[in-house]
Amino acid sequence: MPETMAEPVSPDITLTTCASITDIPRDDWQRLAGRSNPFLRYEFFQALEDSGCTRTETGWTPCHLVFRMQGKVCGLAPAYLKNHSKGEYVFDWSWAEAYQRYQLPYYPKLLIAIPFTPSQGPRLLLDASLRAQLTPALLDQLLGNLTQQLGAHSWHLLFPDAQDQALLGHDQELHRTGCQFHWHNRGYQNFEGFLAALTSRKRKSIRKERRQVADQEITFHTFHGRDISDQVLSAFFVFYQATYLKRGQAPYLNQAFFELLREHLPEHLHIIMAVRHGEMIAGALFLAGETTLYGRYWGCLEEYDHLHFETCYYQGIELALELGLQHFDAGAQGEHKLVRGFEPVITHSWHGILHPGFREAIADFCSEESEHVQAYFAESQTLLPYRNEQP
C-alpha cells in the first residue's frame, strides 16, 4: 500500500502512513516508544509482519501512522487497515451489522491498536514538542482526514493510557468503556503474603484449588527467554492452537511469530508449563514489561480440575512476585478472576465514525453501555476477597 497523507490541518504538523514497520527507521521508533513495554517494541511489530500474522491476507494491513513537524518525525502509532473486527477485544460486530442492514459499508476501518492484545498502554508515541501542540480538535481532524484518504469509514483507538486520553474526547469522537480484572502487588514478599491479605474463606478456597491441582500429580516449570527450547516452544504452540480450534477457529498467531519473539525479545518472554508424569500437558505464555506482567496465551489438550486457574493466575502471580513486578494484567476474560484477588479496572477506547447518522446512534449505544459498565465496576468492587483494611 503506498504512503497516504492526510490533508494538512496545521502548517507545521502532517500525518502520513507507512505500509510496514520496516519503512520506519528503527531509531525513530525506539526513541519514541522506549524499550520497557514489550508490545511497543519495534521487534514485536516486525515479528508480526515477518511471520505473516499482520498482512492484507489476514485482514491486518499495516498502516502505521507517522506524525511530522516541519519534516521531522515527532510521533508514531501502530495502526492497521482492517476488513473485519477479529482480534481486537473491543467488539463492534453490532455496528457492522447495522451498517449492513442499511446496505452501507462498515469496512475498511482504520485501527490504532496492538494486534491481538487487550492491554492498556501508550498508543500515540509522541515527543514532547508535538504533544504540547496537538489538541483534541487537531488530532480528530488529522485522523478524520486520513481515514477519508484511506477510503475507510471510521477510525478506532483501543486501550490507550491516560496520557493519550488527554488528546482524545473531541465532541466528534465516541468513548467506550470496558472492565477487566488485574492483580496488584501490595508489597507482598511471596504468594503466602498475598494470601494473608485475603479473607479467611477466600484464602482457604485458593489453597484448596491449588492442593487439588497438586493432588492430580501436576507440577510446573518456568522457562525464560532463550532458555525456552524448541521442544517447549513447539509444545506450547500445540496448546495455544487447541484453545482456538476448540472454538472452531484458526489461531491468530503462528509458530514462527513465537520463535521470533524468543529470538528478538527474550528479555520479555516467559513460558510456564504444567507437567504430569513427565509429559507437558498445558502451557501459558507471559510477557514482562518494566512494571507489569502480561498473561497472554494459554492452552491445554485435556481438562484437569482448576488447571487453568493455577497455570494462568496463581503461577502468574508467583512469576510477577519473582520478577519484582507491581502489576499483573492477565488478559480480557472476566469475573472469575475477582474471587482470586484480581481487581476491576476500567478500560477505554475511542472511535471516530464518519457517517453522521450512525455516529449519533452509536453515541447513544456507548452512553448506555458506559452506565452498565460503571455499575458492573462498582458492584465488582464490593465483591473483592480482601480483608477490610485492604484497598
Side-chain angles (χ1 to χ4, degrees), residues 155-220:
W155 62 261
H156 308 260
L157 194 154
L158 310 186
F159 301 105
D161 64 2
Q163 188 177 32
D164 283 350
Q165 289 195 74
L167 286 174
L168 298 160
H170 185 260
D171 59 11
Q172 294 299 302
E173 300 166 5
L174 307 180
H175 180 208
R176 292 186 76 179
T177 56
C179 187
Q180 295 181 350
F181 297 90
H182 297 183
W183 181 84
H184 301 277
N185 184 352
R186 309 291 187 191
Y188 311 124
Q189 296 300 308
N190 49 39
F191 196 89
E192 282 299 313
F194 157 61
L195 288 182
L198 305 180
T199 63
S200 175
R201 186 166 65 88
K202 296 300 183 184
R203 183 163 60 245
K204 290 177 181 176
S205 176
I206 290 175
R207 284 180 173 148
K208 181 179 178 181
E209 285 186 352
R210 303 199 81 184
R211 187 167 58 251
Q212 288 175 338
V213 172
D215 288 346
Q216 295 171 88
E217 300 182 316
I218 298 171
T219 59
F220 294 87

Side-chain angles (χ1 to χ4, degrees), residues 324-339:
L325 301 177
Q326 300 305 305
H327 181 213
F328 177 24
D329 171 355
Q333 296 301 315
E335 58 196 24
H336 54 272
K337 297 173 186 163
L338 187 63
V339 296

Side-chain angles (χ1 to χ4, degrees), residues 192-377:
E192 282 299 313
F194 157 61
L195 288 182
L198 305 180
T199 63
S200 175
R201 186 166 65 88
K202 296 300 183 184
R203 183 163 60 245
K204 290 177 181 176
S205 176
I206 290 175
R207 284 180 173 148
K208 181 179 178 181
E209 285 186 352
R210 303 199 81 184
R211 187 167 58 251
Q212 288 175 338
V213 172
D215 288 346
Q216 295 171 88
E217 300 182 316
I218 298 171
T219 59
F220 294 87
H221 301 268
T222 304
F223 304 89
H224 307 286
R226 291 201 176 95
D227 292 335
I228 300 170
S229 67
D230 289 345
Q231 179 189 13
V232 168
L233 195 61
S234 295
F236 165 76
F237 184 70
V238 170
F239 301 143
Y240 162 75
Q241 275 188 308
T243 300
Y244 289 85
L245 295 175
K246 289 173 185 176
R247 300 197 298 260
Q249 68 179 81
Y252 295 127
L253 301 168
N254 55 34
Q255 187 164 339
F257 169 75
F258 294 110
E259 291 171 350
L260 289 167
L261 279 189
R262 180 182 59 180
E263 180 179 353
H264 297 297
L265 293 176
E267 65 272 32
H268 297 290
L269 182 62
H270 309 271
I271 289 179
I272 294 177
M273 281 293 189
V275 176
R276 185 171 188 266
H277 299 163
E279 297 290 333
M280 291 180 281
I281 61 169
L285 182 144
F286 303 81
L287 293 172
E290 188 173 34
T291 62
T292 301
L293 181 69
Y294 301 93
R296 292 307 308 121
Y297 309 110
W298 127 276
C300 64
L301 298 184
E302 297 182 33
E303 301 298 327
Y304 294 86
D305 289 343
H306 307 300
L307 180 59
H308 175 250
F309 300 142
E310 176 67 43
T311 310
C312 294
Y313 304 146
Y314 303 145
Q315 291 291 321
I317 289 172
E318 291 198 338
L319 179 59
L321 289 167
E322 176 189 336
L323 297 174
L325 301 177
Q326 300 305 305
H327 181 213
F328 177 24
D329 171 355
Q333 296 301 315
E335 58 196 24
H336 54 272
K337 297 173 186 163
L338 187 63
V339 296
R340 294 171 175 86
F342 288 74
E343 303 175 35
V345 173
I346 295 292
T347 62
H348 304 269
S349 62
W350 295 84
H351 308 265
I353 307 296
L354 299 190
H355 191 288
F358 274 103
R359 184 193 311 126
E360 183 176 350
I362 293 172
D364 291 340
F365 170 88
C366 291
S367 177
E368 183 177 342
E369 180 186 51
S370 180
E371 292 180 8
H372 290 295
V373 169
Q374 291 295 336
Y376 178 71
F377 174 80

Side-chain angles (χ1 to χ4, degrees), residues 32-49:
L32 294 166
R35 303 177 66 86
S36 62
N37 186 319
F39 303 119
L40 294 177
R41 293 288 299 269
Y42 187 95
E43 295 89 341
F44 181 83
F45 296 100
Q46 189 167 11
L48 286 169
E49 292 183 21

